[in-house]
Amino acid sequence: MATQAAFVVKFPQQLARPSRVQGRPVPPARVGIAVSRGPAGKSVSAAAPRVVRCRAGGLIEPDGGRLVELVAPEEGGRRAALRREAAALPHRVRLGRVDTEWVHVLSEGWASPLRGFMRENEFLQALHFNAVRGDDGTMVNMSVPIVLAVDDAQRRAILASGATSVALVDDHDRPVAVLSDIEIYKHNKEERIARTWGTTARGLPYVDEAITNAGDWLIGGDLEVIEPIKYNDGLDQYRLSPAQLREEFARRNADAVFAFQLRNPVHNGHALLMTDTRRRLLEMGYKNPVLLLHPLGGFTKADDVPLSVRMKQHEKVLEEGVLNPESTVVAIFPSPMHYAGPTEVQWHAKARINAGANFYIVGRDPAGMGHPIEKRDLYDADHGKKVLSMAPGLERLNILPFKVAAYDRKHNKMNFFDPSRKEDFLFISGTKMRGLAKNRESPPDGFMCPGGWKVLVEYYDSLTPPEDSPKLREAVAA
Amino acid sequence: MATQAAFVVKFPQQLARPSRVQGRPVPPARVGIAVSRGPAGKSVSAAAPRVVRCRAGGLIEPDGGRLVELVAPEEGGRRAALRREAAALPHRVRLGRVDTEWVHVLSEGWASPLRGFMRENEFLQALHFNAVRGDDGTMVNMSVPIVLAVDDAQRRAILASGATSVALVDDHDRPVAVLSDIEIYKHNKEERIARTWGTTARGLPYVDEAITNAGDWLIGGDLEVIEPIKYNDGLDQYRLSPAQLREEFARRNADAVFAFQLRNPVHNGHALLMTDTRRRLLEMGYKNPVLLLHPLGGFTKADDVPLSVRMKQHEKVLEEGVLNPESTVVAIFPSPMHYAGPTEVQWHAKARINAGANFYIVGRDPAGMGHPIEKRDLYDADHGKKVLSMAPGLERLNILPFKVAAYDRKHNKMNFFDPSRKEDFLFISGTKMRGLAKNRESPPDGFMCPGGWKVLVEYYDSLTPPEDSPKLREAVAA
């Protein structure tokens, strides 16, 4: 298994078809990812410098110039030593689901140059400027706080002991990581929420999940993770790190990488957009633009379609040839979802720079949702695109505004909206799509590939009210 | 009156004593403020380019490299023409008190390089990044939105007519300015408030005054003001524009300008701080550091001491020699007060760069206040200083953290707090000071100069409940 292709996404087509792309050849010497490969095909960083300089071919540089990796290397005994060190630490902070997702995100360098949970200076910069200043004085984008909360008793105990490190443990009390050179500061939840979401209305999913009941203090520090975060849900193979993605893009001789963030079921409108984007990039002179189709895999709200269902759908889309596997890499983005609109879309874009993407497709109302208590969208549908295009630290990224696709009743397929014959077009929202699937109705021909639709219907078939959350039951009933 | 000293602050000492400062001589050729002087000593900009290049001596450059001035010049008939143009415009937007203060602020270039009320791109950048990108791509600090609201009916009428300019009029319907190349966009009040204040709690003074009842749309555009904004309250002589201040600093051969923002009565602790700051700057090698003592003159909350009282106090402080008039310029900063803590302190500092200050003294909890509904301060007392020191676009400004002064009972005067004998120190908060003055009690010897205290007591004497706002009555009764 210790092959070059070991972590390539295992969609049948991708493994079956040889790569015949006409990319600009990348001299092997320039593919300088300092990543060695373990026997099981896992990517682990080389022993000494855990910060990996990562410049694969002509790929965009990670923020801060170097891709941060915070997983202890297997070689040299560091992993075992760190495990012993963590076990011996007197203070343990238990990680919730979202906390673990952030440990994952940080450990692989999605948030480069961040090297751990934010200290107060970083937290304040994220809240006020949506960017933090790197060591060299330049601003890198960082729009959402990546923080870990502790409660009053924990804070008092840590301060009283004079400890400078704490162990981070999972819900079975097993050490996951060590946070060192710690700093504890106030968790002003109201201010954090107001500045991140632009509202303090009750009912924001991330707030309910990860902030309301969290401690009143935040603990920042340098993170070192004992071993790669795994979920053992049958989807870990799709969880490629930025270093792995960069290696894959280099292997494919990509001279442009365009990222598409999705948390909803994929349909043929998306596919049309992605295919069209590749065509436009070829027209711009790129020889081999590669799509990073990158569904979000962390926390999502109760009525969103679960990751496992969405991944099955993505498989079908490639199996049925809706997207070309040769120019597509499907992987999971491990971040939790904030639903924080213009603030969050910056994080979605910035993280993909670190994975090697230099083009980012931004849609209408990215990371948006309905206002939790008023009858309107929380964010203006255009603000995400506007804010993204002006954001500090994202100057190097090319923003590709989403062209609006809708169901073209004249040609019975998804098509880019043509205002000169608007009566031909049918807009099928996520809500409408879910409604059809819940009622076991067929979508219009060509809206979604048949396999993808089947996956969705089967998911709703599997929902039995007693197992659902009240919110989900409500959504299904709606 | 058309003399060089025409707009020098008219404190007796300043006019009586000749300037004997040992400043680095500034060659007259470098004092390149393109400002001509009218017969009444008013500063008006030269005819053709209304943007004035302003590099007096070694003073810090204004944001964007050029000081913006938006008042029509008297010469060349532009003022009369603009007045006619404004009178003929079909759409008129009436300016409230705070709106007029912003017109004043914009017209004199405090917000350089801003050339009018914000369009949506600037508004979004201010909200999300506390900074806007200038024409050359660099970020300049801009932390509070400077916007003008219109209601739904006005918006519909303007859009229906296809107008590209509107007249801005005072409460007697007299034209004040023209806003051209307009853009109308949504005024999402909740989001604006949340992102500016970090809370949406009811009772924020600026929100109550200028946002809650404002229109649901914002109108941005290029501003041209017919004539300088005057208030005719006996204090206009203190309202020096950034260009006038720069000229005054150059005249005094200042090689450093340190600004002190104050909205509370000045006491000897402030004076100690300012004197000590000058001493430190001299130690740093500056030959003639000049203090810009710069009380805020726009909207303040009902229980703050009014501007007229504070200015009388400032006069006494200089008359009684608490501060040295030779190295002090007292002027009024025309901005309204947001009480937005770390967000607002950036605006306070940025505006002073445009007036020529390269040092800014920042205190504990700048622009802070109590939380409107919870029993705590709205902002962490240290956040203002921290955020200011990291803010984008303020890299050129030297931040001088406030040293804490308190009443030293051992030496019967204000002194810097010495933690080794903390029992000797008495902290006299603004609330406590107001309480003493309201009760006609004397403050401890040396807390405030006698003349300054008298002014404060006379103010509280003059307050008769029937004339007060309920909030003020409550504050007086407390």
Side-chain angles (χ1 to χ4, degrees), chain A residues 400-421:
Chain A
L400 296 171
F402 210 103
K403 286 207 237 171
V404 178
Y407 189 74
D408 181 350
R409 287 182 285 206
K410 196 164 164 188
H411 301 98
N412 293 327
K413 62 172 188 173
M414 293 303 282
N415 233 337
F416 290 120
F417 179 67
D418 178 354
S420 74
R421 50 181 190 90

Side-chain angles (χ1 to χ4, degrees), chain A residues 120 128-130 133 186 190-191 194-195 198-200 343 346 371 376 380 383 386 390-392 395, chain B residues 120 125 128-130 133 186 190-191 194-195 198-200 343 346 371 376 380 383 386 390-392 395:
Chain A
E120 191 176 41
H128 286 275
F129 315 134
N130 289 4
R133 212 175 281 278
K186 260 184 236 160
E190 182 191 47
E191 185 173 1
R195 296 197 192 278
T199 179
T200 56
T343 299
Q346 297 171 68
H371 192 287
R376 61 174 175 94
D380 185 294
H383 281 187
K386 287 179 183 170
M390 300 185 292
E395 296 83 359
Chain B
E120 191 177 40
Q125 289 180 81
H128 285 275
F129 315 135
N130 288 4
R133 212 175 281 276
K186 259 185 238 160
E190 182 190 48
E191 186 173 0
R195 296 197 193 277
T199 179
T200 56
T343 300
Q346 298 170 67
H371 192 288
R376 61 171 175 97
D380 185 297
H383 282 187
K386 287 179 182 168
M390 300 185 291
E395 296 83 359

